[in-house]
Amino acid sequence: DVDIVGIFANPSTDCPIMFTTTQTGTIGAYLLKDASGTIEQVSQFGSVHSDTVRSIVFVPECGAVYTGGEDSKIVAWGIS
């Protein structure tokens, strides 16, 4: 199963960015290209979380993504 955990404005591309997660903690980042639902995967992060990711914050000014999960971890990721 894949869950959407967040959609954020992305000033560097003018396209919103969507983050997904799986129950094993894998995170995907996708640009939402247009209103018809066209998406482009821009990044995938490995399984650092050992359980479901429940929250995500995208900070475009520094290219960082922070995730928090049911495993009580907070993880910082770089994204370009």
Side-chain angles (χ1 to χ4, degrees):
D1 290 344
V2 175
D3 296 316
I4 296 171
V5 289
I7 299 176
F8 299 90
N10 186 8
S12 66
T13 65
D14 293 328
C15 296
I17 190 165
M18 173 180 70
F19 293 93
T20 63
T21 186
T22 66
Q23 290 180 344
T24 59
T26 301
I27 313 261
Y30 303 83
L31 290 178
L32 303 174
K33 302 295 264 181
D34 57 42
S36 70
T38 303
I39 63 172
E40 173 188 335
Q41 185 171 8
V42 292
S43 206
Q44 183 170 335
F45 309 108
S47 253
V48 172
H49 287 281
S50 60
D51 206 341
T52 303
V53 172
R54 291 291 181 199
S55 61
I56 192 162
V57 174
F58 173 52
V59 185
E61 297 82 11
C62 61
V65 176
Y66 298 91
T67 56
E70 289 186 9
D71 57 4
S72 300
K73 290 182 184 176
I74 297 174
V75 180
W77 311 87
I79 189 170
S80 51

